[in-house]
Amino acid sequence: HGRLQGDAQFKPAEGRLGGAVYLDGDGDAIDVNAFSLNTHAITMTAWIRGHRAGDWAGIIHFKDALWGGGLYWCKKNHLHYTWNYDSPKTWKFHGPALRADEWTFVAGVVDYDQATLYVYTRASGLKARINKVAHQSQSVGKLRLGWDNAKDTWRFTGLMDDIRIYNHALTRDQIERIL
């Protein structure tokens, strides 16, 4: 469970699967400080409807003592991820395109030999891109939802719903069942 930061608001009637949290892109986030995981494989998922407030937006961001990682919305409107202790082989990889202000399911699945980024909208269906690079074990902690705290402006603006973290890599079939 997270703690709302700034003036983030729970909107019980506006979620994709129930209520959702609204973040205005100016100081808002969801903090999950008590989260801790050390893993080589992870699946991060969320339903979002909104846009990035700056050049880059954290959707699911985590940080250990030195490094961060997670799922992001980049300035070219694609889904990105960071792993391997901030390796450019991960954050320079462009996932499927994101569309502003439309309910969108995003997922990042990291495993030993590849990462798969998924984006689903009702209009476009499920799209995926695979990054075939080795991934090492990494610490995941201090979750920030809706904000990459490397920069104050790297925030998500809009609604976030049904955010999940799995300590293993889900298959495409398992991702499709979540939808």
Side-chain angles (χ1 to χ4, degrees):
H1 295 266
R3 191 177 81 228
L4 300 180
Q5 297 291 314
D7 59 358
Q9 301 170 32
F10 179 70
K11 302 281 190 170
E14 294 187 35
R16 173 70 168 80
L17 303 172
V21 174
Y22 175 75
L23 307 172
D24 69 9
D26 184 20
D28 295 355
I30 305 166
D31 256 343
V32 187
N33 282 324
F35 189 85
S36 180
L37 179 65
N38 191 333
T39 186
H40 72 276
I42 193 168
T43 301
M44 302 165 280
T45 70
W47 280 96
I48 59 174
R49 186 179 83 195
H51 55 277
R52 56 187 166 71
D55 288 345
W56 187 266
I59 298 170
I60 299 173
H61 175 73
F62 59 83
K63 190 158 180 77
D64 65 10
L66 297 173
W67 306 101
L71 283 179
Y72 309 92
W73 187 325
C74 79
K75 66 182 176 183
K76 293 183 179 180
N77 292 320
H78 286 267
L79 186 64
H80 280 253
Y81 80 109
T82 300
W83 197 260
N84 289 347
Y85 297 96
D86 206 24
S87 167
K89 289 182 180 179
T90 63
W91 59 260
K92 284 186 176 182
F93 176 77
H94 290 269
L98 294 166
R99 294 178 60 174
D101 302 316
E102 178 179 348
W103 274 116
T104 303
F105 175 81
V106 296
V109 179
V110 176
D111 209 348
Y112 288 111
D113 61 346
Q114 68 182 31
T116 307
L117 300 182
Y118 295 94
V119 172
Y120 169 85
T121 63
R122 213 175 262 174
S124 301
L126 185 63
K127 306 288 184 192
R129 292 219 43 233
I130 298 172
N131 188 15
K132 291 193 176 273
V133 299
H135 294 84
Q136 61 195 40
S137 288
Q138 184 166 327
S139 296
V140 177
K142 292 188 179 181
L143 288 175
R144 300 287 185 276
L145 309 175
W147 176 36
D148 175 347
N149 64 344
K151 274 196 175 178
D152 192 52
T153 58
W154 289 356
R155 295 183 183 267
F156 174 79
T157 300
L159 295 164
M160 300 186 83
D161 192 7
D162 196 36
I163 301 157
R164 301 180 188 191
I165 308 287
Y166 298 85
N167 65 350
H168 57 279
L170 295 183
T171 65
R172 183 180 178 109
D173 286 344
Q174 290 169 318
I175 293 289
E176 288 174 347
R177 282 196 291 271
I178 293 172
L179 299 172

